[in-house]
Amino acid sequence: MANPTITPGPASAAAVNKRIRRGSIEPIVFNTLNAIFMIVLVIVTLYPFLNTIVVSLNAGNDTIRGGIYLWPREFTWQNYKAVFASGTIYNAFWISVARTVLSTVLNLFLTTMLAYTLSRREYVFRKPITLIFILTMYFNAGLIPGYFLMKELHLINTFWVYVIPSMISAFNMIVIRTYIGTIPESLIESARIDGAGEFKIFIRIIFPLCKPVLATIALFVAVGAWNSWFDAFIYTSSRQELSTLQYELMKLLSSSMNANNNPAVAAGAGMTREAAASMVTPLSIRAAVTVVASVPILLVYPFMQKYFVVGLNVGSVKE
Amino acid sequence: MEETLRNGRTVRKPKKHKKMTWSLIKDQRQLIYMSVPLLAYIVLFAYVPIWGWTMAFQDYKPAKSFSDQKWVGFKHFEFLFKDDSFLQVLRNTLAMSVINLILGFVTAIILALLLNEIRKVFWKRTVQTISYLPHFLSWIIVTGIVATSLASDGIVNDVLLKLHLIKEPIQWLSDGKYFWGIVGASHVWKEVGWNTIIYLAAMASIDPALYEAAEIDGASRYRKMFHVTLPGIKPTIIILLIMSIGHILEAGFEVQYLLGNGLVVDWSQTIDIFVLKYGLAQGNYSLATAAGIFKTVVSVTMLLFANWIAKRLGEERLL
């Protein structure tokens, strides 16, 4: 780290820095301090999360005594058992999975289809439709009118309120459209000469070629759907069987903030009575639900890293 | 400009200046089938609810039909600006939003500069991967982690006590004067890694010859950062700033709602929470809608203003 070694590769700022004033101590000091800073950053980012995992694996009645940092003192699976034994949380988990899968599939299909039509230069309605979609990025009608619309459409207290209102995102459409612009025109032309219709071109050519950008968008949409709780809180809170995992976690959070370590609250939060009486506490249950809610994301996101830049580098939205 | 193909179809070559004729529309009917239903969808979900803005100019009663509502002009807006609690909410929103904006930009740019100096690719990728992690966690999880860390027996008080910086644990979340700082720090913890992606991508595309030239002129590492790297990412910073300024009244809702409690209510309530409280909880739809409209109007105005400033400065712009 502190000892510069010559690495082949593109001339980056770092590579150029390496060659400056070999005799001076400055690069060594800088690189050491920089490395220390990065290590601190990693610790600050990871510690709270690792600690949550440890708390979820430690007996709740022992955690209360404090002093749990990076290793469980009384190891137990009890918290996870309690979480999955609780019908409400188990059910909420599957609702979350269903809405995430459905949202992602619908979103990708519809947004890409729209992006393809709006990438066709000869399309007569290209400009007006694009503008109508882009404007939605900068304003919205607001909470109350939105609520009334859901009421009019009879979506309140239905599963579809999680999926239908957010089927297309203008931002994602722009990202995909920009990417479609990099696909050679000749591919589309030759398919057309072979007599393929627009829909067929979209399914057979555009969709497969957009894989890298669709991977990113799929991740964004899926994470967004998995993490959202506000719709459950506003639209479906009176129907327990439609509750999502994040919303259940939110209820646990607010109840444990108000009533620390009260078994009655824990029982109310959907745990079995014997679990509440044993070594499970609201805090340990919350930790376990937190881990369950973040595992799917932790499994996916590191593999998508190389695609992030594609998705974020939209540049400017110019027509 | 028609070509007859092997399969007997005729293909119309796109012309530069096309008129919207019926034959053209017929030609492109597949594109129309693929995009117009989606246009109808977005109009229904993003534009139709704007009709609900009329509620802000009425004494809206849910039981009455539209024609029976009593129109009251700007009464609700006047009430808002004379209402101490709304002014307080506005102050909180602006304060938190500005804190988040400044902290967010400064920390992300500094971190990107430091990451850019790391030579070992594996180490750099590892730090980046870890720093993205919180971005993918929901605010429910993050606020849970924040609340746990800031508890009187939490890690933050633990560390401060062990370093003898404080004599007894600080009650972070029950003292209003810390709240804005906590919200800002939570945002940084969650998003700083993610926000560096776009800057690092911009830095990667800076011409290495510029660094070489700076070096021949004897520039130190810091001068190169200041005179090559920063100007290189300036357009990116400007675009992101314009986008953020449009969201100046979006200080967030989730963090404040989840971390706030009765003790810090004077510092934690934002416009969104105000809308929720008056609108859905108390049924004062007109007042809540007026607050929502105010927010939207300010957002759009600020966006246009920032865009205009950028245009005057001859910088990249959004629209």
Side-chain angles (χ1 to χ4, degrees):
Chain A
M1 240 170 317
N3 182 16
T5 50
I6 299 193
T7 46
S12 62
V16 174
N17 269 326
K18 169 180 73 208
R19 295 202 298 272
I20 52 171
R21 289 167 300 164
R22 288 207 160 269
S24 90
I25 197 164
E26 186 278 337
I28 299 176
V29 173
F30 180 90
N31 287 334
T32 310
L33 288 177
N34 197 6
I36 290 171
F37 174 80
M38 292 299 164
I39 289 166
V40 170
L41 177 85
V42 166
I43 291 172
V44 168
T45 307
L46 280 185
Y47 173 80
F49 197 73
L50 290 174
N51 182 254
T52 308
I53 297 177
V54 169
V55 168
S56 74
L57 290 168
N58 195 46
N61 49 14
D62 174 68
T63 306
I64 296 167
R65 290 170 31 217
I68 299 288
Y69 297 108
L70 283 170
W71 204 252
R73 200 159 44 206
E74 284 187 33
F75 182 86
T76 174
W77 289 110
Q78 204 59 46
N79 298 313
Y80 289 95
K81 282 189 188 134
V83 166
F84 284 102
S86 138
T88 47
I89 293 179
Y90 181 79
N91 186 55
F93 176 83
W94 287 111
I95 293 277
S96 282
V97 170
R99 75 173 283 181
T100 303
V101 171
L102 209 62
S103 284
T104 311
V105 171
L106 276 171
N107 234 298
L108 280 191
F109 181 80
L110 295 176
T111 309
T112 313
M113 187 164 80
L114 181 73
Y116 169 66
T117 62
L118 298 183
S119 73
R120 307 298 313 138
R121 289 226 167 70
E122 73 271 17
Y123 183 32
V124 274
F125 299 135
R126 178 181 181 219
K127 278 204 165 141
I129 295 182
T130 308
L131 185 69
I132 287 170
F133 271 92
I134 285 179
L135 285 179
T136 61
M137 284 163 62
Y138 298 107
F139 75 92
N140 58 37
L143 178 70
I144 310 294
Y147 184 84
F148 276 71
L149 178 73
M150 299 302 155
K151 213 163 157 177
E152 287 295 315
L153 296 172
H154 298 289
L155 285 171
I156 306 254
N157 282 329
T158 64
F159 173 79
W160 295 105
V161 79
Y162 297 145
V163 180
I164 291 178
S166 56
M167 280 195 303
I168 298 179
S169 127
F171 181 80
N172 294 347
M173 189 272 286
I174 302 286
V175 174
I176 298 172
R177 198 190 66 175
T178 310
Y179 192 86
I180 291 176
T182 64
I183 294 174
E185 193 69 26
S186 52
L187 277 175
I188 297 168
E189 275 304 315
S190 62
R192 191 163 293 153
I193 288 165
D194 291 342
E198 298 290 355
F199 191 74
K200 201 165 188 175
I201 291 174
F202 157 65
I203 292 285
R204 292 282 169 80
I205 298 175
I206 304 295
F207 218 86
L209 283 176
C210 283
K211 268 198 192 111
V213 76
L214 292 185
T216 318
I217 302 288
L219 181 76
F220 291 171
V221 174
V223 167
W226 179 259
N227 281 344
S228 65
W229 58 277
F230 192 64
D231 41 21
F233 171 67
I234 295 284
Y235 297 124
T236 59
S237 55
S238 55
R239 280 186 68 187
Q240 179 61 51
E241 71 271 24
L242 287 178
S243 183
T244 62
L245 189 61
Q246 300 285 345
Y247 186 43
E248 286 305 308
L249 187 57
M250 182 213 153
K251 287 195 276 193
L252 282 175
L253 187 78
S254 53
S255 66
S256 62
M257 267 182 161
N258 297 338
N260 257 328
N261 312 321
N262 173 356
V265 172
M271 283 193 270
T272 54
R273 198 170 295 272
E274 72 259 27
S278 68
M279 42 189 180
V280 175
T281 61
L283 186 73
S284 65
I285 280 281
R286 212 181 74 204
V289 176
T290 301
V291 173
V292 171
S294 23
V295 158
I297 291 167
L298 295 182
L299 293 179
V300 177
Y301 96 92
F303 303 102
M304 310 290 286
Q305 210 173 323
K306 59 174 178 292
Y307 298 126
F308 289 164
V309 173
V310 182
L312 283 168
N313 248 342
V314 199
S316 59
V317 183
K318 279 185 191 154
E319 256 304 284
Chain B
M1 281 289 282
E2 289 201 357
E3 252 185 303
T4 310
L5 303 171
R6 279 175 316 203
N7 55 21
R9 288 180 61 216
T10 53
V11 176
R12 187 179 296 266
K13 283 267 169 64
K15 291 199 210 90
K16 271 263 170 338
H17 297 289
K18 51 180 193 285
K19 276 210 187 79
M20 213 185 287
T21 60
W22 279 114
S23 66
L24 197 61
I25 287 179
K26 231 172 81 180
D27 257 10
Q28 300 184 343
R29 63 184 179 275
Q30 289 174 318
L31 287 173
I32 291 172
Y33 293 150
M34 284 162 76
S35 60
V36 169
L38 300 175
L39 177 71
Y41 163 84
I42 204 76
V43 167
L44 174 62
F45 278 90
Y47 289 85
V48 168
I50 294 174
W51 175 250
W53 282 14
T54 53
M55 285 191 291
F57 304 97
Q58 304 166 333
D59 272 338
Y60 181 80
K61 298 274 189 303
K64 292 183 186 168
S65 69
F66 182 80
S67 53
D68 292 342
Q69 301 290 352
K70 183 164 160 248
W71 291 85
V72 294
F74 284 87
K75 180 181 116 178
H76 296 291
F77 290 90
E78 280 167 30
F79 179 81
L80 278 183
F81 290 107
K82 286 182 187 140
D83 180 27
D84 284 343
S85 75
F86 180 76
L87 295 176
Q88 191 181 56
V89 161
L90 189 60
R91 177 203 69 174
N92 294 343
T93 308
L94 278 172
M96 280 188 260
S97 158
V98 169
I99 291 171
N100 292 346
L101 186 82
I102 294 170
L103 268 183
F105 268 79
V106 172
T107 51
I109 291 167
I110 289 174
L111 181 59
L113 285 171
L114 292 176
L115 278 168
N116 202 37
E117 295 290 331
I118 297 181
R119 220 162 300 147
K120 291 197 171 45
V121 176
F122 173 76
W123 170 229
K124 183 172 167 180
R125 273 192 70 96
T126 309
V127 172
Q128 277 189 278
T129 309
I130 291 170
S131 71
Y132 301 158
L133 165 71
H135 169 80
F136 290 105
L137 302 176
S138 68
W139 271 116
I140 305 264
I141 293 176
V142 173
T143 49
I145 284 175
V146 168
T148 312
S149 308
L150 294 176
S152 48
D153 56 352
I155 184 76
V156 173
N157 276 320
D158 242 16
V159 169
L160 292 175
L161 282 170
K162 290 213 165 70
L163 292 173
H164 297 290
L165 290 171
I166 51 173
K167 291 239 173 0
E168 53 196 40
I170 297 176
Q171 302 295 329
W172 295 103
L173 286 170
S174 10
D175 193 337
K177 69 170 179 281
Y178 299 123
F179 194 85
W180 294 349
I182 291 169
V183 169
S186 307
H187 270 103
V188 168
W189 186 78
K190 191 172 186 295
E191 304 296 344
V192 70
W194 185 253
N195 291 340
T196 57
I197 295 181
I198 199 158
Y199 296 125
L200 283 166
M203 287 175 191
S205 61
I206 297 174
D207 183 1
L210 294 172
Y211 288 104
E212 304 269 358
E215 198 169 322
I216 289 163
D217 293 343
S220 69
R221 179 199 303 267
Y222 311 103
R223 294 205 68 142
K224 272 188 289 193
M225 277 188 199
F226 205 80
H227 295 293
V228 181
T229 315
L230 278 178
I233 61 171
K234 192 171 150 193
T236 311
I237 297 177
I238 300 270
I239 284 194
L240 291 178
L241 261 177
I242 293 175
M243 289 171 93
S244 310
I245 286 174
H247 294 152
I248 197 78
L249 289 184
E250 310 258 349
F253 155 86
E254 301 184 58
V255 206
Q256 290 84 352
Y257 188 83
L258 297 166
L259 280 180
N261 55 53
L263 297 165
V264 296
V265 77
D266 288 349
W267 287 271
S268 70
Q269 293 229 328
T270 58
I271 294 181
D272 294 310
I273 297 178
F274 181 91
V275 171
L276 186 73
K277 201 173 87 176
Y278 273 91
L280 293 184
Q282 299 181 13
N284 192 338
Y285 299 118
S286 296
L287 191 66
T289 307
I293 293 176
F294 167 73
K295 204 181 99 172
T296 305
V297 169
V298 170
S299 293
V300 173
T301 314
M302 289 301 285
L303 186 81
L304 293 173
F305 175 69
N307 204 40
W308 177 78
I309 292 276
K311 213 185 283 193
R312 286 294 300 271
L313 297 171
E315 290 290 349
E316 293 263 358
R317 57 182 185 270
L318 208 58
L319 300 167

